[in-house]
């Protein structure tokens, strides 16, 4: 069965996407660091519980750590990725994640971003 990896899947947007995929009968793996950003760790833990009950597999992983990416893809073998995880722009950002996804043969990759990453816009 095809499986979709939803990264940042316990955040508000990621969990909504994971829920819709589950509603559609898709197999879903949710990966999240459960850090205290956004609406906080407690809310993310609660969403993870709901997603588990609904049939998602939930994995706690630091997606910014390249050494952890290969095992994530090897263990769960997703055929598609929806990225709702926040990658800090002052680090390597999304590049290592995309590189591993490409090498793992992911044919469908959707990246959702947060405008807050880019700061205030310059004057027009």
């Amino acid at each position: 069965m095809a499986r979709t990896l939803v990264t940042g899947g316990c955040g508000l947007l990621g969990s909504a996407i994971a829920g819709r995929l589950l509603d559609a009968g898709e197999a879903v793996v949710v990966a999240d660091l459960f850090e205290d950003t956004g609406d906080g760790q407690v809310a993310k833990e609660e969403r993870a519980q709901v997603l588990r009950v609904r049939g998602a597999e939930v994995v706690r992983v630091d997606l910014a750590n390249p050494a952890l990416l290969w095992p994530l893809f090897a263990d769960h073998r997703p055929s598609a990725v929806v990225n709702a995880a926040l990658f800090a722009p002052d680090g390597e950002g999304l590049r290592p994640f995309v590189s591993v996804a490409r090498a793992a043969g992911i044919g469908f990759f959707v990246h959702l971003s947060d405008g807050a990453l880019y700061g205030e816009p310059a004057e027009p």
Side-chain angles (χ1 to χ4, degrees):
M1 170 186 268
R3 180 175 293 137
T4 301
L5 172 64
V6 180
T7 57
C10 291
L12 188 61
L13 182 58
S15 64
I17 291 166
R20 295 285 263 188
L21 289 167
L22 290 165
D23 288 345
E26 299 291 325
V28 176
V29 175
V30 169
D32 205 298
L33 183 57
F34 294 89
E35 78 283 11
D36 204 25
T37 60
D39 53 358
Q41 183 178 0
V42 171
K44 292 174 185 179
E45 296 283 357
E46 290 171 357
R47 287 189 198 107
Q49 277 299 97
V50 170
L51 290 169
R52 280 186 190 101
V53 167
R54 295 184 63 197
E57 190 171 349
V58 179
V59 179
R60 184 181 305 260
V61 62
D62 181 358
L63 298 165
N65 182 341
L68 302 177
L69 298 176
W70 279 110
L72 176 67
F73 282 90
D75 292 348
H76 301 286
R77 301 197 170 277
S79 57
V81 172
V82 177
N83 177 52
L86 185 65
F87 286 87
D90 59 348
E92 289 206 52
L94 191 62
R95 186 178 325 229
F97 185 73
V98 171
S99 295
V100 172
R102 183 178 294 141
I106 300 301
F108 188 77
F109 189 105
V110 176
H111 173 64
L112 308 171
S113 188
D114 184 334
L117 286 177
Y118 307 107
E120 292 296 317
E123 291 192 37

